[in-house]
């Protein structure tokens, strides 16, 4: 049984379709009830609408998921919000929602569902990060910060859960061709990297359920600039200023 957040569109919906073809039973969460019902109808999943921007949203969702499925074997935290512009002009309510949905909700859901996985001795926590959380992005400081926090959560939890049978996986896409950009209020404006499809990311998410790799970039070559940033941030910044 897999619980997918952000399942009403984009990567979440594509992931639901991919897992359904592999025979997974699905619990699907999102805020757009019409779209969520449509995805549920196409995948055979159980719709569990919930607003994860509310502090008690993860608690309600976890309780509903356990009541509906009895157990959650895989948590795929795909819900996310973005905003582009000067950090000094970031609307306070937008900042609060990003912090809740992008960072706090995955941590809270993991805290609520992890004990059952540990008791059974198996499970998967799959977190949808972003390349922005690895290298930083101009005019997306708050979004990048939430994704960087998620990456460090995944890294720390990986150490903690070694040998338990519960795996932690972090998926790191670059730009993805989804409604994300329209919802944040600005189109994708960079030359590189070009957006990949949601289905390509969904294939990577599906791979996390069996692969021993704990950090997967989409596309794979994005791992190279991430390594440059880690080893030589000054060099990376010069390259980003020239080619970004």
């Amino acid at each position: 049984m897999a619980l997918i957040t952000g399942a009403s569109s984009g990567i979440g919906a594509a992931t639901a379709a991919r897992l359904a073809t592999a025979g997974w039973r699905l619990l699907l969460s999102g805020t757009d009830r019409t779209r969520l019902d449509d995805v549920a109808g196409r995948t055979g999943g159980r719709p569990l609408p919930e607003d994860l921007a509310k502090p008690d949203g993860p608690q309600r969702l976890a309780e509903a998921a356990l009541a509906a499925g009895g157990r959650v074997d895989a948590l795929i935290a795909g819900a996310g919000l973005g905003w582009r512009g000067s950090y000094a002009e970031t609307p306070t309510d937008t900042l609060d929602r990003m912090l809740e949905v992008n960072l706090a909700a995955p941590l809270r859901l993991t805290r609520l569902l992890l004990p059952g996985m540990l008791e059974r001795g198996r499970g998967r926590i799959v977190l949808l990060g972003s390349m922005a959380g690895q290298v930083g992005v101009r005019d997306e400081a708050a979004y990048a910060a939430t994704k960087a926090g998620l990456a460090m959560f995944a890294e720390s939890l990986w150490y903690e859960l070694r040998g338990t049978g519960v795996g932690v996986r972090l998926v790191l896409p670059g730009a993805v061709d989804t409604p994300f950009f329209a919802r944040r209020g600005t189109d994708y404006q960079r030359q590189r990297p070009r957006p990949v499809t949601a289905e390509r990311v969904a294939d990577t998410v599906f791979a996390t359920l069996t692969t021993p790799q704990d950090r997967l970039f989409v596309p794979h070559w994005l791992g190279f600039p991430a390594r440059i940033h880690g080893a030589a941030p000054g060099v990376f910044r010069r390259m980003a200023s020239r080619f970004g």
Side-chain angles (χ1 to χ4, degrees):
M1 181 72 73
L3 171 61
I4 304 173
T5 69
S8 55
S9 66
I11 295 170
T15 298
R18 182 66 182 85
L19 266 63
T21 63
W24 277 80
R25 296 169 60 206
L26 304 175
L27 301 169
L28 307 174
S29 182
T31 55
D32 188 321
R33 183 59 191 259
T34 299
R35 290 179 181 271
L36 191 64
D37 286 345
D38 178 65
V39 174
R42 288 187 281 109
T43 62
R46 173 79 174 268
L48 300 174
E50 186 57 70
D51 185 358
L52 295 179
K54 297 179 179 179
D56 59 346
Q59 176 77 42
R60 290 198 302 266
L61 177 57
E63 291 174 353
L66 293 173
R71 58 194 284 173
V72 173
D73 301 297
L75 167 64
I76 300 170
L81 301 173
W83 190 83
R84 186 173 189 274
S86 164
Y87 183 70
E89 298 174 357
T90 306
T92 299
D93 61 335
T94 299
L95 176 60
D96 291 345
R97 287 183 65 84
M98 278 195 290
L99 289 168
E100 288 292 339
V101 175
N102 297 2
L103 183 57
L107 267 66
R108 289 176 176 141
L109 283 170
T110 299
R111 173 61 186 87
L112 293 163
L113 299 174
L114 180 58
M117 295 181 186
L118 290 172
E119 184 177 348
R120 293 187 296 273
R122 60 189 177 94
R124 277 289 190 274
I125 305 293
V126 183
L127 305 171
L128 265 293
S130 170
M131 190 64 181
Q134 300 294 295
V135 300
V137 179
R138 179 178 178 176
D139 292 332
E140 296 184 39
Y143 174 75
T146 62
K147 293 301 184 177
L150 199 63
M152 288 303 99
F153 172 62
E155 182 80 5
S156 300
L157 196 60
W158 182 84
Y159 291 115
E160 184 178 327
L161 296 180
R162 288 186 67 185
T164 66
V166 180
V168 181
R169 303 292 182 260
L170 180 66
V171 178
L172 297 160
V176 186
D177 186 11
T178 70
F180 174 86
F181 294 107
R183 289 172 182 162
R184 76 174 187 177
T186 57
D187 294 332
Y188 184 70
Q189 299 173 342
R190 297 183 179 87
Q191 295 182 346
R192 302 177 184 83
R194 299 311 306 164
V196 299
T197 65
E199 287 72 22
R200 185 169 178 180
V201 181
D203 286 341
T204 302
V205 172
F206 178 71
T208 66
L209 301 176
T210 55
T211 183
Q213 290 180 272
D214 59 278
R215 184 170 293 215
L216 296 93
F217 291 88
V218 189
H220 297 302
W221 65 263
L222 285 178
F224 177 66
R227 287 192 291 273
I228 293 178
H229 180 271
V235 173
F236 179 88
R237 289 181 188 133
R238 288 193 293 274
M239 292 173 60
S241 296
R242 181 177 178 184
F243 298 109

PDB file of all heavy atoms in Angstrom, residues 67-95:
ATOM      1  N   ALA A  67      -6.577   4.166   8.401  1.00  0.00           N
ATOM      2  CA  ALA A  67      -7.945   3.657   8.512  1.00  0.00           C
ATOM      3  C   ALA A  67      -8.396   3.015   7.203  1.00  0.00           C
ATOM      4  O   ALA A  67      -9.082   1.994   7.197  1.00  0.00           O
ATOM      5  CB  ALA A  67      -8.893   4.794   8.900  1.00  0.00           C
ATOM      6  N   ALA A  68      -7.991   3.613   6.085  1.00  0.00           N
ATOM      7  CA  ALA A  68      -8.421   3.118   4.780  1.00  0.00           C
ATOM      8  C   ALA A  68      -7.635   1.900   4.334  1.00  0.00           C
ATOM      9  O   ALA A  68      -8.195   0.974   3.729  1.00  0.00           O
ATOM     10  CB  ALA A  68      -8.275   4.222   3.737  1.00  0.00           C
ATOM     11  N   GLY A  69      -6.328   1.889   4.610  1.00  0.00           N
ATOM     12  CA  GLY A  69      -5.489   0.818   4.091  1.00  0.00           C
ATOM     13  C   GLY A  69      -4.985  -0.161   5.125  1.00  0.00           C
ATOM     14  O   GLY A  69      -4.448  -1.215   4.765  1.00  0.00           O
ATOM     15  N   GLY A  70      -5.097   0.188   6.405  1.00  0.00           N
ATOM     16  CA  GLY A  70      -4.592  -0.688   7.448  1.00  0.00           C
ATOM     17  C   GLY A  70      -3.099  -0.540   7.688  1.00  0.00           C
ATOM     18  O   GLY A  70      -2.623  -0.756   8.796  1.00  0.00           O
ATOM     19  N   ARG A  71      -2.360  -0.158   6.652  1.00  0.00           N
ATOM     20  CA  ARG A  71      -0.921   0.018   6.742  1.00  0.00           C
ATOM     21  C   ARG A  71      -0.457   0.856   5.555  1.00  0.00           C
ATOM     22  O   ARG A  71      -1.167   0.954   4.553  1.00  0.00           O
ATOM     23  CB  ARG A  71      -0.204  -1.332   6.718  1.00  0.00           C
ATOM     24  CG  ARG A  71      -0.519  -2.114   5.461  1.00  0.00           C
ATOM     25  CD  ARG A  71      -0.099  -3.547   5.568  1.00  0.00           C
ATOM     26  NE  ARG A  71       1.336  -3.727   5.421  1.00  0.00           N
ATOM     27  CZ  ARG A  71       1.955  -4.896   5.613  1.00  0.00           C
ATOM     28  NH1 ARG A  71       1.248  -5.952   5.999  1.00  0.00           N
ATOM     29  NH2 ARG A  71       3.253  -4.998   5.450  1.00  0.00           N
ATOM     30  N   VAL A  72       0.702   1.444   5.686  1.00  0.00           N
ATOM     31  CA  VAL A  72       1.332   2.167   4.584  1.00  0.00           C
ATOM     32  C   VAL A  72       2.735   1.617   4.435  1.00  0.00           C
ATOM     33  O   VAL A  72       3.558   1.728   5.341  1.00  0.00           O
ATOM     34  CB  VAL A  72       1.377   3.687   4.840  1.00  0.00           C
ATOM     35  CG1 VAL A  72       2.188   4.394   3.752  1.00  0.00           C
ATOM     36  CG2 VAL A  72      -0.037   4.270   4.890  1.00  0.00           C
ATOM     37  N   ASP A  73       2.995   0.982   3.293  1.00  0.00           N
ATOM     38  CA  ASP A  73       4.301   0.384   3.039  1.00  0.00           C
ATOM     39  C   ASP A  73       5.266   1.363   2.390  1.00  0.00           C
ATOM     40  O   ASP A  73       6.487   1.196   2.505  1.00  0.00           O
ATOM     41  CB  ASP A  73       4.150  -0.842   2.135  1.00  0.00           C
ATOM     42  CG  ASP A  73       3.241  -1.897   2.747  1.00  0.00           C
ATOM     43  OD1 ASP A  73       3.601  -2.419   3.816  1.00  0.00           O
ATOM     44  OD2 ASP A  73       2.175  -2.173   2.176  1.00  0.00           O
ATOM     45  N   ALA A  74       4.715   2.349   1.688  1.00  0.00           N
ATOM     46  CA  ALA A  74       5.564   3.344   1.026  1.00  0.00           C
ATOM     47  C   ALA A  74       4.891   4.707   1.111  1.00  0.00           C
ATOM     48  O   ALA A  74       3.724   4.862   0.737  1.00  0.00           O
ATOM     49  CB  ALA A  74       5.803   2.971  -0.432  1.00  0.00           C
ATOM     50  N   LEU A  75       5.637   5.672   1.626  1.00  0.00           N
ATOM     51  CA  LEU A  75       5.190   7.063   1.615  1.00  0.00           C
ATOM     52  C   LEU A  75       5.942   7.772   0.509  1.00  0.00           C
ATOM     53  O   LEU A  75       7.179   7.802   0.507  1.00  0.00           O
ATOM     54  CB  LEU A  75       5.485   7.740   2.959  1.00  0.00           C
ATOM     55  CG  LEU A  75       5.354   9.277   2.972  1.00  0.00           C
ATOM     56  CD1 LEU A  75       3.914   9.708   2.686  1.00  0.00           C
ATOM     57  CD2 LEU A  75       5.844   9.852   4.296  1.00  0.00           C
ATOM     58  N   ILE A  76       5.201   8.335  -0.432  1.00  0.00           N
ATOM     59  CA  ILE A  76       5.805   9.098  -1.521  1.00  0.00           C
ATOM     60  C   ILE A  76       5.339  10.534  -1.368  1.00  0.00           C
ATOM     61  O   ILE A  76       4.208  10.895  -1.702  1.00  0.00           O
ATOM     62  CB  ILE A  76       5.413   8.516  -2.890  1.00  0.00           C
ATOM     63  CG1 ILE A  76       5.897   7.062  -2.982  1.00  0.00           C
ATOM     64  CG2 ILE A  76       6.006   9.363  -4.022  1.00  0.00           C
ATOM     65  CD1 ILE A  76       5.372   6.308  -4.169  1.00  0.00           C
ATOM     66  N   ALA A  77       6.227  11.356  -0.807  1.00  0.00           N
ATOM     67  CA  ALA A  77       5.876  12.740  -0.481  1.00  0.00           C
ATOM     68  C   ALA A  77       6.160  13.628  -1.681  1.00  0.00           C
ATOM     69  O   ALA A  77       7.260  14.142  -1.852  1.00  0.00           O
ATOM     70  CB  ALA A  77       6.674  13.199   0.740  1.00  0.00           C
ATOM     71  N   GLY A  78       5.127  13.801  -2.510  1.00  0.00           N
ATOM     72  CA  GLY A  78       5.302  14.553  -3.742  1.00  0.00           C
ATOM     73  C   GLY A  78       4.668  15.924  -3.755  1.00  0.00           C
ATOM     74  O   GLY A  78       4.870  16.686  -4.705  1.00  0.00           O
ATOM     75  N   ALA A  79       3.915  16.269  -2.733  1.00  0.00           N
ATOM     76  CA  ALA A  79       3.258  17.579  -2.708  1.00  0.00           C
ATOM     77  C   ALA A  79       4.298  18.678  -2.565  1.00  0.00           C
ATOM     78  O   ALA A  79       5.246  18.558  -1.784  1.00  0.00           O
ATOM     79  CB  ALA A  79       2.259  17.652  -1.563  1.00  0.00           C
ATOM     80  N   GLY A  80       4.133  19.757  -3.325  1.00  0.00           N
ATOM     81  CA  GLY A  80       5.082  20.856  -3.233  1.00  0.00           C
ATOM     82  C   GLY A  80       4.537  22.143  -3.815  1.00  0.00           C
ATOM     83  O   GLY A  80       3.705  22.127  -4.729  1.00  0.00           O
ATOM     84  N   LEU A  81       5.004  23.257  -3.274  1.00  0.00           N
ATOM     85  CA  LEU A  81       4.611  24.583  -3.734  1.00  0.00           C
ATOM     86  C   LEU A  81       5.864  25.397  -4.024  1.00  0.00           C
ATOM     87  O   LEU A  81       6.913  25.193  -3.416  1.00  0.00           O
ATOM     88  CB  LEU A  81       3.792  25.309  -2.662  1.00  0.00           C
ATOM     89  CG  LEU A  81       2.497  24.656  -2.186  1.00  0.00           C
ATOM     90  CD1 LEU A  81       1.934  25.429  -1.007  1.00  0.00           C
ATOM     91  CD2 LEU A  81       1.484  24.593  -3.316  1.00  0.00           C
ATOM     92  N   GLY A  82       5.742  26.333  -4.971  1.00  0.00           N
ATOM     93  CA  GLY A  82       6.872  27.198  -5.287  1.00  0.00           C
ATOM     94  C   GLY A  82       6.451  28.643  -5.436  1.00  0.00           C
ATOM     95  O   GLY A  82       5.261  28.964  -5.510  1.00  0.00           O
ATOM     96  N   TRP A  83       7.444  29.520  -5.457  1.00  0.00           N
ATOM     97  CA  TRP A  83       7.213  30.944  -5.710  1.00  0.00           C
ATOM     98  C   TRP A  83       8.515  31.532  -6.221  1.00  0.00           C
ATOM     99  O   TRP A  83       9.594  31.195  -5.725  1.00  0.00           O
ATOM    100  CB  TRP A  83       6.770  31.674  -4.449  1.00  0.00           C
ATOM    101  CG  TRP A  83       6.291  33.069  -4.730  1.00  0.00           C
ATOM    102  CD1 TRP A  83       5.045  33.433  -5.153  1.00  0.00           C
ATOM    103  CD2 TRP A  83       7.043  34.289  -4.616  1.00  0.00           C
ATOM    104  NE1 TRP A  83       4.969  34.796  -5.315  1.00  0.00           N
ATOM    105  CE2 TRP A  83       6.189  35.351  -4.991  1.00  0.00           C
ATOM    106  CE3 TRP A  83       8.358  34.581  -4.231  1.00  0.00           C
ATOM    107  CZ2 TRP A  83       6.595  36.671  -4.998  1.00  0.00           C
ATOM    108  CZ3 TRP A  83       8.770  35.894  -4.234  1.00  0.00           C
ATOM    109  CH2 TRP A  83       7.885  36.931  -4.609  1.00  0.00           C
ATOM    110  N   ARG A  84       8.430  32.396  -7.213  1.00  0.00           N
ATOM    111  CA  ARG A  84       9.630  32.998  -7.792  1.00  0.00           C
ATOM    112  C   ARG A  84       9.562  34.508  -7.689  1.00  0.00           C
ATOM    113  O   ARG A  84       8.547  35.111  -8.017  1.00  0.00           O
ATOM    114  CB  ARG A  84       9.796  32.583  -9.255  1.00  0.00           C
ATOM    115  CG  ARG A  84      11.111  33.068  -9.883  1.00  0.00           C
ATOM    116  CD  ARG A  84      11.286  32.484 -11.275  1.00  0.00           C
ATOM    117  NE  ARG A  84      12.615  32.759 -11.786  1.00  0.00           N
ATOM    118  CZ  ARG A  84      12.951  33.863 -12.424  1.00  0.00           C
ATOM    119  NH1 ARG A  84      12.051  34.803 -12.644  1.00  0.00           N
ATOM    120  NH2 ARG A  84      14.195  34.036 -12.858  1.00  0.00           N
ATOM    121  N   GLY A  85      10.633  35.108  -7.218  1.00  0.00           N
ATOM    122  CA  GLY A  85      10.714  36.552  -7.090  1.00  0.00           C
ATOM    123  C   GLY A  85      11.678  36.934  -5.982  1.00  0.00           C
ATOM    124  O   GLY A  85      12.263  36.071  -5.324  1.00  0.00           O
ATOM    125  N   SER A  86      11.840  38.216  -5.773  1.00  0.00           N
ATOM    126  CA  SER A  86      12.719  38.702  -4.721  1.00  0.00           C
ATOM    127  C   SER A  86      12.265  38.165  -3.364  1.00  0.00           C
ATOM    128  O   SER A  86      11.077  38.211  -3.029  1.00  0.00           O
ATOM    129  CB  SER A  86      12.694  40.234  -4.695  1.00  0.00           C
ATOM    130  OG  SER A  86      13.217  40.742  -3.494  1.00  0.00           O
ATOM    131  N   TYR A  87      13.220  37.650  -2.582  1.00  0.00           N
ATOM    132  CA  TYR A  87      12.849  37.111  -1.274  1.00  0.00           C
ATOM    133  C   TYR A  87      12.226  38.201  -0.400  1.00  0.00           C
ATOM    134  O   TYR A  87      11.309  37.931   0.370  1.00  0.00           O
ATOM    135  CB  TYR A  87      14.056  36.505  -0.561  1.00  0.00           C
ATOM    136  CG  TYR A  87      13.678  35.888   0.755  1.00  0.00           C
ATOM    137  CD1 TYR A  87      12.920  34.719   0.797  1.00  0.00           C
ATOM    138  CD2 TYR A  87      14.034  36.492   1.958  1.00  0.00           C
ATOM    139  CE1 TYR A  87      12.543  34.160   1.997  1.00  0.00           C
ATOM    140  CE2 TYR A  87      13.659  35.934   3.167  1.00  0.00           C
ATOM    141  CZ  TYR A  87      12.913  34.774   3.187  1.00  0.00           C
ATOM    142  OH  TYR A  87      12.524  34.224   4.379  1.00  0.00           O
ATOM    143  N   ALA A  88      12.712  39.440  -0.534  1.00  0.00           N
ATOM    144  CA  ALA A  88      12.176  40.541   0.265  1.00  0.00           C
ATOM    145  C   ALA A  88      10.712  40.810  -0.044  1.00  0.00           C
ATOM    146  O   ALA A  88       9.997  41.399   0.771  1.00  0.00           O
ATOM    147  CB  ALA A  88      12.999  41.809   0.035  1.00  0.00           C
ATOM    148  N   GLU A  89      10.260  40.355  -1.214  1.00  0.00           N
ATOM    149  CA  GLU A  89       8.873  40.592  -1.618  1.00  0.00           C
ATOM    150  C   GLU A  89       8.015  39.325  -1.536  1.00  0.00           C
ATOM    151  O   GLU A  89       6.868  39.327  -1.986  1.00  0.00           O
ATOM    152  CB  GLU A  89       8.846  41.148  -3.041  1.00  0.00           C
ATOM    153  CG  GLU A  89       9.559  42.498  -3.168  1.00  0.00           C
ATOM    154  CD  GLU A  89       9.647  42.978  -4.601  1.00  0.00           C
ATOM    155  OE1 GLU A  89       9.207  42.224  -5.510  1.00  0.00           O
ATOM    156  OE2 GLU A  89      10.161  44.089  -4.830  1.00  0.00           O
ATOM    157  N   THR A  90       8.560  38.270  -0.976  1.00  0.00           N
ATOM    158  CA  THR A  90       7.791  37.036  -0.858  1.00  0.00           C
ATOM    159  C   THR A  90       6.600  37.248   0.062  1.00  0.00           C
ATOM    160  O   THR A  90       6.775  37.656   1.215  1.00  0.00           O
ATOM    161  CB  THR A  90       8.662  35.903  -0.284  1.00  0.00           C
ATOM    162  OG1 THR A  90       9.841  35.765  -1.058  1.00  0.00           O
ATOM    163  CG2 THR A  90       7.889  34.591  -0.272  1.00  0.00           C
ATOM    164  N   PRO A  91       5.372  36.989  -0.403  1.00  0.00           N
ATOM    165  CA  PRO A  91       4.207  37.130   0.481  1.00  0.00           C
ATOM    166  C   PRO A  91       4.321  36.207   1.690  1.00  0.00           C
ATOM    167  O   PRO A  91       4.725  35.045   1.573  1.00  0.00           O
ATOM    168  CB  PRO A  91       3.030  36.714  -0.419  1.00  0.00           C
ATOM    169  CG  PRO A  91       3.529  36.923  -1.819  1.00  0.00           C
ATOM    170  CD  PRO A  91       4.987  36.602  -1.776  1.00  0.00           C
ATOM    171  N   THR A  92       3.983  36.721   2.846  1.00  0.00           N
ATOM    172  CA  THR A  92       4.127  35.951   4.076  1.00  0.00           C
ATOM    173  C   THR A  92       3.313  34.666   4.041  1.00  0.00           C
ATOM    174  O   THR A  92       3.798  33.604   4.467  1.00  0.00           O
ATOM    175  CB  THR A  92       3.698  36.799   5.282  1.00  0.00           C
ATOM    176  OG1 THR A  92       4.541  37.952   5.355  1.00  0.00           O
ATOM    177  CG2 THR A  92       3.828  36.017   6.582  1.00  0.00           C
ATOM    178  N   ASP A  93       2.095  34.720   3.519  1.00  0.00           N
ATOM    179  CA  ASP A  93       1.274  33.511   3.493  1.00  0.00           C
ATOM    180  C   ASP A  93       1.846  32.478   2.525  1.00  0.00           C
ATOM    181  O   ASP A  93       1.767  31.272   2.770  1.00  0.00           O
ATOM    182  CB  ASP A  93      -0.169  33.846   3.137  1.00  0.00           C
ATOM    183  CG  ASP A  93      -0.319  34.487   1.764  1.00  0.00           C
ATOM    184  OD1 ASP A  93       0.652  35.098   1.286  1.00  0.00           O
ATOM    185  OD2 ASP A  93      -1.413  34.380   1.174  1.00  0.00           O
ATOM    186  N   THR A  94       2.474  32.938   1.440  1.00  0.00           N
ATOM    187  CA  THR A  94       3.117  32.020   0.496  1.00  0.00           C
ATOM    188  C   THR A  94       4.310  31.341   1.154  1.00  0.00           C
ATOM    189  O   THR A  94       4.516  30.127   1.012  1.00  0.00           O
ATOM    190  CB  THR A  94       3.571  32.775  -0.758  1.00  0.00           C
ATOM    191  OG1 THR A  94       2.427  33.342  -1.402  1.00  0.00           O
ATOM    192  CG2 THR A  94       4.283  31.857  -1.733  1.00  0.00           C
ATOM    193  N   LEU A  95       5.105  32.115   1.875  1.00  0.00           N
ATOM    194  CA  LEU A  95       6.248  31.552   2.590  1.00  0.00           C
ATOM    195  C   LEU A  95       5.788  30.504   3.598  1.00  0.00           C
ATOM    196  O   LEU A  95       6.359  29.408   3.683  1.00  0.00           O
ATOM    197  CB  LEU A  95       7.016  32.671   3.288  1.00  0.00           C
ATOM    198  CG  LEU A  95       8.192  32.248   4.173  1.00  0.00           C
ATOM    199  CD1 LEU A  95       9.236  31.494   3.362  1.00  0.00           C
ATOM    200  CD2 LEU A  95       8.811  33.470   4.849  1.00  0.00           C
TER     201      LEU A  95
END
